């Protein structure tokens, strides 16, 4: 039996002892109607490059909690809100 496609490519981080998908979390909050921000807008506010934000959302790049904090602040939310707590 083969693994699910993309299973080994999925990036996860442990937050409060729970594994979360940071790319999905960023994309979900960024496109939330209350936030509604493009990748370019988010990148500019967080001090990151648009291509890096894109790679984060696609789970093609890992990052530190410091970077995730910058992203959350740029969206006006907390890390808890970003990761769904």
């Amino acid at each position: 039996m083969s693994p699910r496609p993309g299973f080994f490519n999925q990036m996860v981080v442990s937050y409060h002892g729970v594994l979360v998908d940071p790319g999905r979390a960023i994309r979900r909050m960024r496109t939330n109607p209350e936030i509604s921000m493009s990748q370019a807008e988010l990148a500019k506010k967080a001090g990151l490059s648009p291509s890096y934000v894109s790679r984060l959302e696609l789970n093609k790049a890992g990052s530190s909690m410091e970077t995730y904090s910058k992203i959350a602040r740029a969206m006006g939310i907390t890390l808890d809100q970003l990761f769904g707590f």
Side-chain angles (χ1 to χ4, degrees):
M1 182 183 215
S2 63
R4 294 176 292 167
F7 177 75
F8 292 106
N9 294 332
Q10 181 143 358
M11 190 84 60
V12 294
V13 296
S14 177
Y15 188 72
H16 291 303
V18 176
L19 296 178
V20 294
D21 177 340
R24 183 173 287 163
I26 293 167
R27 186 173 40 258
R28 183 188 74 241
M29 291 306 292
R30 180 181 63 76
T31 60
N32 179 310
E34 293 178 12
I35 295 173
S36 188
M37 195 179 278
S38 71
Q39 285 181 342
E41 290 171 315
L42 175 58
K44 185 174 182 177
K45 284 186 172 189
L48 305 168
S49 72
S51 64
Y52 186 62
V53 170
S54 174
R55 289 188 352 256
L56 284 173
E57 285 190 7
L58 295 171
N59 288 322
K60 303 236 181 218
S63 196
S64 66
M65 281 297 165
E66 181 179 335
T67 300
Y68 296 130
S69 291
K70 286 180 184 179
I71 289 169
R73 279 193 305 271
M75 288 191 273
I77 60 175
T78 65
L79 270 177
D80 282 352
Q81 291 170 308
L82 176 63
F83 291 134
F85 287 87

